Amino acid sequence: MDPIVGMLYSMVENNYQRLKSIVAGMDQEELEYKGPSQNDNSTAQLLRHLMYVDLNWVYRIRGKVIPKELEDRYGPMLDKNNQLPQVTDISLEVLLNEYDYVLSLLKSVCCQLTDKDLLQTVEYEDGNEATIQWGIWHLADHNRYHQAHINQLRKWFNTYN
């Protein structure tokens, strides 16, 4: 990878490895736990959300639409109530294997990018535009952001269960 592309990808990869260490050892009950009032997003929902956002960026960078089979497997972004879709009865191992696959796609895309490519803009979210560089940085930042939610869920789970 070109130097800046490699640095950005490393941020994503390192945050993903940190995320995996945060969720390590979660059983199904904790994975699906939705907070003390049962109205927060579960760790399972957040993992699926993160991988779906990452997948969207892989295909934006490629300039392609997500294939239907991947859209069906990882999506949608929101359900009919404008909430993260429910994720139940899917083990942590399966979720992480699915996320590993998305990260492998991202790595493949990044291996094909040059530092100059990072300045190209792509369309995202309702016609807005962002550079590819911002998009890859956003993936790392977005992952870190939801790690805080998952850490809070773990604290609540250990306190209230």
Side-chain angles (χ1 to χ4, degrees):
M1 283 182 218
D2 274 8
I4 297 171
V5 174
M7 178 189 66
L8 290 166
Y9 177 76
S10 290
M11 290 170 49
V12 174
E13 174 65 26
N14 287 338
N15 283 335
Y16 177 58
Q17 293 305 321
R18 182 171 179 251
L19 174 67
K20 286 170 76 170
S21 73
I22 289 168
V23 301
M26 276 190 180
D27 63 17
Q28 199 65 33
E29 182 183 5
E30 185 176 9
L31 190 64
E32 295 177 13
Y33 176 71
K34 296 178 68 106
S37 300
Q38 291 297 302
N39 60 0
D40 294 291
N41 293 311
S42 69
T43 297
Q45 286 174 285
L46 293 169
L47 289 171
R48 179 58 57 82
H49 169 70
L50 285 167
M51 66 181 88
Y52 185 66
V53 168
D54 291 6
L55 184 66
N56 271 276
W57 273 98
V58 165
Y59 281 89
R60 273 187 199 108
I61 293 167
R62 288 180 173 174
K64 297 183 178 179
V65 174
I66 297 175
K68 173 119 174 69
E69 63 272 8
L70 292 179
E71 179 70 38
D72 291 345
R73 181 174 171 190
Y74 291 95
M77 184 70 72
L78 300 172
D79 65 16
K80 65 183 180 211
N81 298 316
N82 217 25
Q83 303 291 318
L84 292 186
Q86 297 299 314
V87 178
T88 57
D89 300 322
I90 301 175
S91 72
L92 178 61
E93 180 181 7
V94 168
L95 287 167
L96 292 178
N97 284 338
E98 289 176 343
Y99 207 159
D100 287 341
Y101 174 71
V102 172
L103 261 282
S104 74
L105 294 176
L106 180 63
K107 183 176 184 179
S108 175
V109 166
C110 286
C111 284
Q112 297 169 15
L113 291 173
T114 66
D115 286 348
K116 186 177 177 182
D117 293 333
L118 294 173
L119 301 177
Q120 293 177 20
T121 58
V122 294
E123 197 172 307
Y124 83 106
E125 294 181 11
D126 301 325
N128 292 312
E129 287 189 347
T131 63
I132 292 172
Q133 180 172 334
W134 182 89
I136 298 170
W137 173 87
H138 173 69
L139 296 181
D141 187 58
H142 185 231
N143 189 295
R144 235 181 8 257
Y145 175 77
H146 286 304
Q147 286 177 23
H149 296 140
I150 293 168
N151 278 323
Q152 183 61 59
L153 286 165
R154 289 210 91 168
K155 286 178 187 173
W156 284 334
F157 184 82
N158 290 324
T159 299
Y160 297 110
N161 289 320

